[in-house]
Amino acid sequence: MTEPVAGRLGPPRLPASYDQQGAPSLADILERVLDKGVVIAGDIRINLLDIELLTIKLRLLVASVDKAKEMGIDWWEHDPSLSSRARPHAVDDEGAERSLSEENARLRAEIAALRAQPHDRSDRSDRSVNG
Protein backbone atom coordinates (compact mmCIF):
# COMPACT_ATOMS: atom_id res chain seq x y z
CA MET A 1 0.00 0.00 0.00
CA THR A 2 2.95 2.30 -0.48
CA GLU A 3 1.89 2.95 -4.08
CA PRO A 4 0.99 6.63 -4.67
CA VAL A 5 -2.68 7.46 -5.12
CA ALA A 6 -2.06 8.76 -8.64
CA GLY A 7 -0.51 5.44 -9.66
CA ARG A 8 -3.52 3.47 -8.40
CA LEU A 9 -5.97 5.63 -10.33
CA GLY A 10 -4.13 5.18 -13.60
CA PRO A 11 -3.04 7.83 -16.07
CA PRO A 12 -4.94 11.10 -16.01
CA ARG A 13 -7.77 11.14 -18.51
CA LEU A 14 -8.21 14.12 -20.79
CA PRO A 15 -11.56 15.00 -22.32
CA ALA A 16 -12.14 13.37 -25.68
CA SER A 17 -12.51 16.78 -27.35
CA TYR A 18 -8.82 17.67 -26.85
CA ASP A 19 -6.51 17.18 -29.80
CA GLN A 20 -3.30 15.11 -29.70
CA GLN A 21 -1.21 17.88 -28.05
CA GLY A 22 -3.62 18.09 -25.12
CA ALA A 23 -4.73 21.65 -25.90
CA PRO A 24 -8.39 22.40 -26.52
CA SER A 25 -9.37 23.94 -29.83
CA LEU A 26 -11.18 27.26 -30.10
CA ALA A 27 -14.42 25.42 -30.86
CA ASP A 28 -14.05 23.39 -27.64
CA ILE A 29 -13.48 26.50 -25.55
CA LEU A 30 -16.43 28.29 -27.16
CA GLU A 31 -18.67 25.28 -26.59
CA ARG A 32 -17.75 25.16 -22.91
CA VAL A 33 -18.21 28.91 -22.43
CA LEU A 34 -21.64 28.89 -24.06
CA ASP A 35 -22.67 25.76 -22.19
CA LYS A 36 -21.67 27.01 -18.73
CA GLY A 37 -21.86 30.77 -19.22
CA VAL A 38 -19.33 33.41 -18.23
CA VAL A 39 -19.97 36.61 -16.30
CA ILE A 40 -17.50 39.48 -16.53
CA ALA A 41 -18.09 42.37 -14.14
CA GLY A 42 -16.14 45.52 -13.53
CA ASP A 43 -16.45 49.11 -12.43
CA ILE A 44 -14.67 52.13 -13.84
CA ARG A 45 -14.50 55.18 -11.59
CA ILE A 46 -13.05 58.56 -12.42
CA ASN A 47 -12.25 60.74 -9.40
CA LEU A 48 -10.74 64.19 -9.15
CA LEU A 49 -9.50 65.24 -5.70
CA ASP A 50 -11.66 62.59 -4.02
CA ILE A 51 -14.75 63.80 -5.93
CA GLU A 52 -16.37 61.09 -7.98
CA LEU A 53 -16.95 62.43 -11.47
CA LEU A 54 -18.01 59.32 -13.33
CA THR A 55 -18.81 55.70 -12.51
CA ILE A 56 -19.41 53.09 -15.19
CA LYS A 57 -20.57 49.65 -14.10
CA LEU A 58 -19.94 46.94 -16.66
CA ARG A 59 -21.73 43.59 -16.55
CA LEU A 60 -21.25 41.14 -19.41
CA LEU A 61 -22.87 37.72 -19.66
CA VAL A 62 -21.73 35.32 -22.36
CA ALA A 63 -23.93 32.23 -22.61
CA SER A 64 -25.96 30.23 -25.08
CA VAL A 65 -29.62 31.07 -25.64
CA ASP A 66 -30.65 27.86 -23.90
CA LYS A 67 -28.49 28.63 -20.86
CA ALA A 68 -29.80 32.20 -20.71
CA LYS A 69 -33.41 30.98 -20.84
CA GLU A 70 -32.56 28.48 -18.10
CA MET A 71 -31.38 31.42 -15.97
CA GLY A 72 -34.59 33.34 -16.72
CA ILE A 73 -33.13 35.81 -19.22
CA ASP A 74 -35.27 36.19 -22.36
CA TRP A 75 -35.58 39.93 -23.03
CA TRP A 76 -34.80 39.51 -26.74
CA GLU A 77 -38.07 37.61 -27.24
CA HIS A 78 -40.07 40.68 -26.16
CA ASP A 79 -38.06 43.37 -27.97
CA PRO A 80 -39.76 44.36 -31.28
CA SER A 81 -36.45 45.37 -32.84
CA LEU A 82 -34.95 41.92 -32.20
CA SER A 83 -37.89 39.56 -32.66
CA SER A 84 -40.60 39.49 -35.30
CA ARG A 85 -42.89 37.76 -32.78
CA ALA A 86 -42.68 40.70 -30.38
CA ARG A 87 -45.12 43.49 -31.15
CA PRO A 88 -45.03 47.06 -29.86
CA HIS A 89 -47.05 47.50 -26.67
CA ALA A 90 -49.53 50.02 -28.12
CA VAL A 91 -50.48 47.66 -30.95
CA ASP A 92 -50.34 44.57 -28.77
CA ASP A 93 -52.67 45.93 -26.09
CA GLU A 94 -56.02 46.35 -27.85
CA GLY A 95 -57.60 47.88 -24.73
CA ALA A 96 -55.03 50.69 -24.66
CA GLU A 97 -55.50 51.31 -28.38
CA ARG A 98 -59.28 51.46 -27.96
CA SER A 99 -58.87 53.81 -24.99
CA LEU A 100 -56.69 56.15 -27.07
CA SER A 101 -59.24 56.13 -29.91
CA GLU A 102 -62.05 56.97 -27.48
CA GLU A 103 -60.03 59.79 -25.92
CA ASN A 104 -59.19 61.14 -29.37
CA ALA A 105 -62.89 61.15 -30.37
CA ARG A 106 -63.87 62.85 -27.09
CA LEU A 107 -61.24 65.58 -27.54
CA ARG A 108 -62.30 66.20 -31.14
CA ALA A 109 -65.94 66.57 -30.04
CA GLU A 110 -64.89 68.99 -27.30
CA ILE A 111 -62.90 71.11 -29.77
CA ALA A 112 -65.81 71.16 -32.19
CA ALA A 113 -68.19 72.29 -29.39
CA LEU A 114 -65.79 75.10 -28.39
CA ARG A 115 -65.54 76.29 -31.99
CA ALA A 116 -69.32 76.25 -32.35
CA GLN A 117 -69.87 78.57 -29.36
CA PRO A 118 -70.46 82.21 -30.27
CA HIS A 119 -67.69 84.50 -29.11
CA ASP A 120 -68.65 87.57 -27.09
CA ARG A 121 -66.07 90.09 -28.27
CA SER A 122 -67.87 93.19 -26.96
CA ASP A 123 -66.69 92.40 -23.44
CA ARG A 124 -63.09 92.25 -24.59
CA SER A 125 -63.25 95.48 -26.58
CA ASP A 126 -64.74 97.34 -23.58
CA ARG A 127 -61.82 96.27 -21.41
CA SER A 128 -59.22 97.37 -23.92
CA VAL A 129 -60.84 100.79 -24.46
CA ASN A 130 -61.50 101.47 -20.80
CA GLY A 131 -58.29 99.91 -19.49
Side-chain angles (χ1 to χ4, degrees), residues 13-129:
R13 295 186 337 193
L14 295 175
S17 61
Y18 285 5
D19 60 12
Q20 296 297 347
Q21 290 85 19
S25 67
L26 181 60
D28 295 330
I29 294 171
L30 185 60
E31 180 181 351
R32 287 181 186 194
V33 166
L34 293 177
D35 184 46
K36 301 292 182 188
V38 173
V39 175
I40 300 171
D43 295 344
I44 299 171
R45 292 186 184 182
I46 298 174
N47 294 338
L48 180 65
L49 300 174
D50 292 333
I51 299 172
E52 189 172 315
L53 299 177
L54 178 66
T55 298
I56 300 173
K57 295 185 178 227
L58 301 172
R59 305 297 181 258
L60 175 65
L61 169 69
V62 179
S64 67
V65 171
D66 293 334
K67 187 66 175 179
K69 284 184 178 181
E70 186 180 311
M71 292 186 288
I73 303 170
D74 63 350
W75 51 263
W76 61 88
E77 291 181 347
H78 308 291
D79 189 341
S81 62
L82 298 175
S83 174
S84 60
R85 288 182 280 171
R87 295 173 29 189
H89 295 295
V91 175
D92 190 32
D93 190 3
E94 293 177 15
E97 188 174 336
R98 189 177 327 111
S99 174
L100 288 174
S101 297
E102 291 170 358
E103 182 181 11
N104 191 0
R106 183 183 57 79
L107 291 172
R108 286 178 182 269
E110 190 176 328
I111 290 171
L114 289 172
R115 286 183 179 164
Q117 289 180 354
H119 294 292
D120 186 12
R121 295 188 179 182
S122 61
D123 193 28
R124 288 185 192 162
S125 60
D126 289 343
R127 274 191 243 142
S128 62
V129 171

Side-chain angles (χ1 to χ4, degrees), residues 1-12:
M1 288 297 257
T2 60
E3 185 179 4
V5 175
R8 284 185 276 160
L9 297 176

